[in-house]
Amino acid sequence: MLRADPHPRTPARSTGEIWFDHALVAVALLLLLSGYGSIIEGNDWRVTTMLIAAMTGVTCALLRGLGFRFVAPVALLVLLIAIAWIFVPDTLLAILPTGDTFSALADLGRSAREIIVEEQAPVGAAEPIVLVVSSSFGLIVIVADMLLQSRRAAPLIGTLLMAVFVAPGLISGETPSLWLFLAVAALWLVLLRSRTPGTGLARRGAGPALVLGAGALAAAVAFPVVSPDVSAVAASWGRPPPAVFGRDINPMLQLGQNLRRNSSSQALTYTTTADTAQYLKVATLRDFTGKTWRPAEFGRFDRLEGQLPINNEIAIDQIRTTISIKGLRSSLLPVPYPALPIVRGLKGEWSFRNPGLTLRSEQDDSRGETYSVESLEVAPTAEQMRAIETPIGPQLARYVELPNDLPRIIRDTAEEVTAGADNDYDRARALQSFFRSSGGFRYSETTPAAEDYDGNGMDVIARFLEVKAGYCVHFSSSMAVMARALGMPARIAVGYAPGSVIGDRGGSTEYEATSDNLHAWTEIYFQGVGWTRFDPTTNVGSSTAFEEPAAVVEDSEDEASPAPAARDRSQDNVPEEAAAAEATESKTSSRTAFTTLAALLVLGAAPWLVRSLRRRWRLARGHTSVEPLWRELEDVARDLGIPGSAADTPRGFAARLRQRDGVDTDALDRLLRRVEATRFAKDAAGGGDETADLVAVASSLRAGASPVDRLRATLLPRSLGGRVAVQAPAAPGTLAT
């Protein structure tokens, strides 16, 4: 008697069902990609990510269609080649990765980590970030393909899609889109129903599964209504920017991140007896490592700053500035430069530090402080400045140090810009004017991140001189390094640019400095005058230009203009950043789309090309042996989906073919007689040419096949998956006595 198998097997899925499941997952991932706009700006990265994911998915689909077993390793190799081709093409040997490929990708990965650590979402679509996102989606496609081969594919795929859905919300802190969730959940329910067998006990289990899935979907829809918003829990991207002037923090590493944050906060207010708003310095950076500027450690010559006399002929005015700290929390206090050691109203223990004459405490912070500080306003004439020659002694030696491998473009640009100047003052003004007006530079906080040259090292400066877009870190770093290249002592000051007028207090104009006024500028030393501010950042603050003789006309409208009260970031920078993003996007998108689409076409045509070459090779050998022709006939039948078995004899295989409508039986019989004679007759004559018979049989088989079978045989020939296996009869039950 027959006894039912207690562990029934899941029925094998047809090719159409497999492709349907893969299409559902592909559409779901495409929809989920749209949710990542909350952590990455722009659209270029979407194109790159979709094309890389498509290339990986097509690879998996082709290999599954051809019957290959080891799909994941091959797909991973294709993914590696794809990302290398797009991101580091110069490192490839033809299309093969080299050691340099892995090194370059590792460098991009480290850059991505720095951006993730230092930036707040949404970040610019920098190349390292696009690499991480696109390669991640490529890996997700491979994982999804592997999960679809499992008997429990539906719940596993659901878990994967949920992880991809919630990731951007956890990073940015924004509640994910309800409509996006509904669309992806609906696709998953279709997949769940598709993967549920429709017969026997399994049919009875389909209803509860669908009810459970629909119930979970309804609960998820209701959850955001009764729950608080999602909070950012990612290690870095969701956190607010770190303090610029925290204890032991290099302000140059945090300045860009704070400038790019979306909100503005009040840092301080102040009044001054000076005629104009003041630059307030918080930190001084002297030591340039080649990769970044660092706060200087106190040296034996630094104690002289603030004590060296100013030339008697130079006009000096003493001013008082009263500062009230609002939102700034720091162990450093903003002061005008050069400040005098006369400070009133401070609580706690504060002292001036060199180099830089900055005000610092080892144990107190700035919260709630209101204080008055005296400082000097040094006003030499332009003629006095031009007459100064500054010798570089032990006190200034550290201020002209540069790495030996300084990029040539930095030194060449400095010499070219200052070619017409014969003194340090005119050289400094030429550099300042070059960056502020005549050099074609523009202010942008996002372009350096998007173009992957954010920072203040010498390689970043070289790139900045080419792109000509950046913010105060790039302008001040470039001018300081170029000044040193010309032998002029230079350093960087970090603090607040002149704030905006907010009212009147005690008969004095009151100014406000916000987080938007965070700024860095260059200081150059002139003997007998001291450290003199030069601000090279275009559209920010004011340039430095001392009084000229009446007959001399200013050569730059920028240098004769007064300092603006404040910059409105929303009006000042958005248009140019959008233009920069558009230019970058169009260039990168077209290149990425072209190369990746070309790769997709080559990849899609590869099975057809390999199959065509094999056919030509066999037909060429058919003049000397019938065996290649018979193997070609077997492969033609397999490509068209005609059932076969490795256990077939030539006569058994021919019998299968005769069952097909329209087959050329005469040509088939001639081929069969020749192959049987070759294999089984000891005295069979060698040679012969049955190529015409093969072509006739193959043509008749294709003519009798459906258009879909013919198309699949051309694009996805099954014969490339290896020799056909021995067909074993299915056994729905077991025989028992």
Side-chain angles (χ1 to χ4, degrees), residues 644-667:
S645 173
D648 280 340
T649 63
R651 188 166 293 274
F653 175 64
R656 291 177 186 268
L657 298 186
R658 288 193 185 94
Q659 298 174 5
R660 308 288 293 187
D661 294 335
V663 67
D664 190 335
T665 55
D666 293 338

Side-chain angles (χ1 to χ4, degrees), residues 18-19 22 52-79 137-149 600 603 716:
I18 294 174
W19 282 82
H22 281 73
I52 288 181
M55 181 179 294
T56 309
V58 168
T59 300
C60 294
L62 289 175
L63 296 178
R64 294 291 178 197
L66 297 175
F68 276 81
R69 296 179 58 188
F70 304 104
V71 174
V74 178
L76 285 172
L77 178 60
V78 171
L79 175 61
F137 266 81
L139 290 172
I140 290 170
V141 169
I142 297 174
V143 171
D145 175 77
M146 295 172 62
L147 294 180
L148 284 172
Q149 312 312 309
L600 284 172
L603 186 62
L716 268 179

